Each structure stands twice: as structure tokens, then as C-alpha cells.
């Protein structure tokens, strides 16, 4: 705002500019010169020059005051200007007087016939118009940036959440934000953390025991892991629960290391000898479930993933005693960067619809 635009009359250029090697004229000094020195007498004394490091916010009226001055210029009436900007006439009069004190010049002559700009007021109005136009361009640019941000949402989620909870949440989000394009990436909890920290996603969901390093998070749902087998497996006919030591010693069909399911299982059985070498190690919940259904061996799966298979007797749940196989499901984001826009709205929906 301190840089003058080319053009205008010679009188405007002579008043608005001027300087020396050590600094520049203050707005108040320039306006005092234009208005005959009213108010401060700063046009010729030592105070007429000010270091270039001075803060503009102390010398330049706020946008609301400038918009009011422009309205007075359009209508020739303080009352009409006040109505246009949505304030009372006394408030408008007070704001004009405050701006005159700040600048050190008279801006408006008031009379029973209306309000007329002084010569200094006409000059300030011309400058104010440029400032307001620049502010409008700034606002339009920010709105465009916000619109671009709000037009997309990048989500990364661990497998179980991606397959069994996110579809319901995203359908609800679409009802609220039909113009937001959503992309969803699925991977294990370690991959979720990597994508978020690399700036490749706006919001993540994990199934592990804790919030990964470098991320903040909140619990959005709870889950329980279930040991399952095909109906033909001997465990399907057991009358007593399996103990943790037997479960740990049995080769199982498992998710890969880094998955939330594997983290919970490793931690639960660490005090019972640790997991035996896996019978199969697969990269998705669907693959583990399919292997268990075909009778490859016992598996450990989220109860969210096996409801249909249990009701159709394609899988049988095997009770386990003496070990806790439950976990929290979390929404996560980079530390210090709480979700905004559509990511914030999706987070709110997970709390309103924890079951999807």
C-alpha cells in the first residue's frame, strides 16, 4: 500500500510522494500538506519524515473506515453512507471523526444540506478506492484458495477401517459436501503415518495400539479381534476356550508386520512366548479372510470384517481366555495441524456415526 501507482495529476503525485535517502513521509504528513496542515502541523517540521520500518497499521485507517468514506463520496450524505454499510448515523459520524484525528486532516464538511468531501478528503478517497479494490482482489484470491482446498479431500486409512467403516462415513460426507472430490488410499498403519507425514493425505485412520510418532489423533471407534477358523478345523468343535500359550504357539494366517492387527496381536501374546512363525502372511484383511474360509488355518480378524462369514457359518469364532484382543480405532493427522475444511467435517462425522 505504500507504493504509489503511476498516473494521476501532478498535484496528487506531489502530495503523495516525496522522500529522502533516510526514509519516507508519513501518511499524516502528506495529508496535512494536502489539507493545509489541519490537525497536526506535521507538514514541515522534523516529524514530517519517518523511518521506513514504521508500521502501516498505526498510520492507515482500517478497511471499514475507508469503505464508509467511499460511501460518503458516492451519496453526499453521511446518513445514506451509514445505511449502506449497515451502521447508525452517529456511529458513522464517530468513525469519520476518528479517521480525521488519525490522519490529521479534515475529510468531510458537514452541513444541513449534506456532507461534502474536503479537498484533502477527495484525495484520500482516491487513495482509499485503490486500497479497497486491492483488498477485494486479495479477498477473492483467498476465497479461491479456500475453494480449491475444500474441493478435494485426501484420506489414507488402514485396511479394516477403509473397507468397513469409511464407506459409510464418506456417504454421509457427500450428503453434506457434494462438490468435494474424495480420494482414498488404503494401507497398513505404518503406511498411513508415512503418507500423512509426507503431505500426501489430509486425514488418516489407524488401528494400532498408539498414535504413530509425529502425529496427533483421537479415538473414533473401538474394535475387537476374533480368532476364527473354517468349520472343518478342530478348533471349531472345541468346548473350552484356547489359552494364550496355545494361540501363540500355533502357526496362524496373519496380516503383515506394520498392520494394526499384527501390532495388537504381537503385544497381546508377547508375554506368552510370542507369535509362532506365520502359516501365511498376507497384506489385506480380505486375503486373510479368504484363506481362513478355504481352511488354510486359523486367523485373527477384526469383528467388523467377519459378520457375514460368521452368520453364514463360513467361519467359526473360537473363544480365547486370558488375553485382551481389543483396540482403539483412531483418526490421525500431523502434529500441530488439526484438520480443517472437509477433513474437519469428516472427523466430526466419525464421532456422530462411530459404527459407520
Amino acid at each position: 500500500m505504500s507504493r504509489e501507482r503511476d498516473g494521476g495529476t501532478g498535484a496528487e503525485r506531489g502530495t503523495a510522494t516525496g522522500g529522502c535517502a533516510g526514509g519516507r513521509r508519513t501518511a499524516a504528513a502528506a495529508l496535512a500538506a494536502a489539507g493545509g496542515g489541519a490537525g497536526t502541523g506535521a507538514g514541515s517540521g522534523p516529524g514530517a519524515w519517518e523511518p521506513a520500518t514504521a508500521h502501516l497499521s498505526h498510520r492507515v485507517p482500517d478497511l471499514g473506515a475507508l469503505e464508509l468514506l467511499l460511501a460518503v463520496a458516492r451519496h453526499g450524505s453521511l446518513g445514506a453512507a451509514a445505511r449502506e454499510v449497515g451502521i447508525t448515523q452517529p456511529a458513522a459520524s464517530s468513525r469519520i471523526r476518528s479517521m480525521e484525528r488519525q490522519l490529521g486532516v479534515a475529510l468531510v464538511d458537514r452541513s444541513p444540506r449534506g456532507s461534502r468531501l474536503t479537498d484533502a478528503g477527495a484525495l484520500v478517497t482516491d487513495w482509499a478506492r485503490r486500497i479497497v479494490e486491492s483488498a477485494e482482489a486479495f479477498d477473492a484470491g483467498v476465497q479461491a484458495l479456500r475453494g480449491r482446498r475444500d474441493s478435494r479431500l485426501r484420506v489414507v486409512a488402514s485396511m479394516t477401517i477403509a473397507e468397513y467403516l469409511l464407506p459409510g462415513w464418506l456417504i454421509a460426507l457427500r450428503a453434506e459436501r457434494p462438490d468435494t472430490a474424495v480420494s482414498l488410499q488404503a494401507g497398513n498403519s505404518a503406511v498411513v503415518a508415512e503418507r500423512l507425514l509426507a503431505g500426501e493425505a489430509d486425514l488418516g485412520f489407524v488401528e494400532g495400539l498408539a498414535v504413530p510418532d509425529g502425529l496427533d489423533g483421537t479415538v473414533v471407534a473401538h474394535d475387537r479381534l476374533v480368532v476364527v477358523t473354517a468349520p472343518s478345523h478342530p478348533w471349531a468343535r472345541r468346548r473350552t476356550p484356547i489359552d494364550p500359550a496355545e494361540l501363540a504357539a500355533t502357526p496362524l494366517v496373519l496380516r503383515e508386520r506394520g498392520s494394526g492387527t499384527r501390532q495388537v496381536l504381537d503385544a497381546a501374546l508377547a508375554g506368552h512366548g510370542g507369535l509362532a512363525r506365520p502359516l501365511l502372511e498376507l497384506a489385506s484383511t480380505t486375503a486373510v479372510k479368504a484363506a481362513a474360509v478355504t481352511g488354510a488355518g486359523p486367523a485373527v480378524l477384526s469383528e467388523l470384517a467377519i459378520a457375514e462369514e460368521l452368520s453364514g457359518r463360513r467361519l467359526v469364532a473360537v473363544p480365547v481366555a486370558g488375553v485382551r484382543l481389543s483396540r482403539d480405532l483412531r483418526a490421525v493427522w500431523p502434529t500441530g495441524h488439526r484438520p480443517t475444511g472437509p477433513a474437519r467435517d469428516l472427523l466430526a462425522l466419525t464421532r456422530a456415526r462411530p459404527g459407520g
Side-chain angles (χ1 to χ4, degrees):
M1 291 185 288
S2 62
R3 185 176 61 193
E4 287 296 319
R5 189 171 65 182
D6 290 339
T9 67
E12 290 175 352
R13 289 196 297 273
T15 305
T17 62
C20 67
R24 62 187 177 191
R25 299 190 67 181
T26 65
L31 292 171
T40 66
S44 58
W49 302 98
E50 183 174 276
T53 55
H55 297 296
L56 279 173
S57 59
H58 299 310
R59 310 197 308 266
V60 177
D62 62 70
L63 282 173
L66 297 179
E67 288 176 324
L68 174 62
L69 183 62
L70 292 175
V72 172
R74 282 193 297 272
H75 295 288
S77 163
L78 197 59
R83 288 191 294 275
E84 179 180 318
V85 300
I87 60 176
T88 64
Q89 182 167 340
S93 181
S94 175
R95 184 171 290 185
I96 292 292
R97 284 196 299 269
S98 177
M99 183 163 45
E100 289 174 330
R101 287 194 298 270
Q102 180 183 9
L103 299 179
V105 294
L107 300 173
V108 177
D109 283 334
R110 303 161 182 83
S111 72
R113 294 186 301 276
S115 299
R116 183 184 66 82
L117 295 178
T118 65
D119 290 343
L123 185 57
V124 171
T125 299
D126 183 54
W127 296 339
R129 186 173 294 108
R130 302 175 196 177
I131 293 171
V132 171
E133 288 172 354
S134 295
E136 289 171 347
F138 176 87
D139 181 60
V142 171
Q143 293 283 1
L145 285 175
R146 187 181 298 118
R148 186 169 64 185
R149 179 204 67 189
D150 291 353
S151 68
R152 68 168 188 173
L153 172 62
R154 300 169 300 168
V155 180
V156 58
S158 51
M159 294 296 188
T160 300
I161 298 175
E163 291 184 56
Y164 300 101
L165 290 178
L166 263 171
W169 294 338
L170 293 179
I171 289 171
L173 179 67
R174 182 170 180 78
E176 293 190 3
R177 285 181 168 269
D179 296 328
T180 297
V182 180
S183 63
L184 172 61
Q185 304 173 65
N188 61 38
S189 295
V191 169
V192 172
E194 290 172 4
R195 296 279 169 80
L196 284 169
L197 293 173
E200 297 172 359
D202 305 305
L203 186 64
F205 294 90
V206 296
E207 306 161 4
L209 293 170
V211 176
D213 291 342
L215 303 180
D216 289 336
T218 185
V219 174
V220 296
H222 304 280
D223 188 26
R224 185 171 67 94
L225 299 182
V226 180
V227 178
V228 293
T229 68
S232 58
H233 193 277
W235 282 4
R237 297 184 291 277
R238 284 183 65 124
R239 295 182 178 275
T240 59
I242 295 171
D243 62 59
E246 184 179 0
L247 181 61
T250 302
L252 303 171
V253 180
L254 296 175
R255 285 287 307 279
E256 78 288 2
R257 292 188 180 277
S259 71
T261 301
R262 185 68 171 269
Q263 290 175 18
V264 171
L265 196 56
D266 280 336
L269 298 179
H272 302 280
L275 279 169
R277 183 176 180 179
L279 183 66
L280 291 172
E281 196 171 53
L282 303 171
S284 75
T285 297
T286 300
V288 172
K289 183 165 58 174
V293 168
T294 60
V300 180
L301 289 162
S302 163
E303 66 178 349
L304 295 170
I306 56 175
E308 291 185 9
E309 286 74 18
L310 292 178
S311 63
R313 292 289 297 174
R314 295 192 298 278
L315 287 175
V316 177
V318 180
V320 180
V323 66
R324 183 174 179 270
L325 294 177
S326 60
R327 59 185 177 175
D328 295 325
L329 308 182
R330 293 179 173 86
V332 290
W333 55 87
T335 299
H337 297 275
R338 192 159 184 85
T340 59
R344 177 195 58 221
D345 292 347
L346 178 58
L347 180 58
L349 284 170
T350 66
R351 292 166 174 167
R353 303 163 55 91

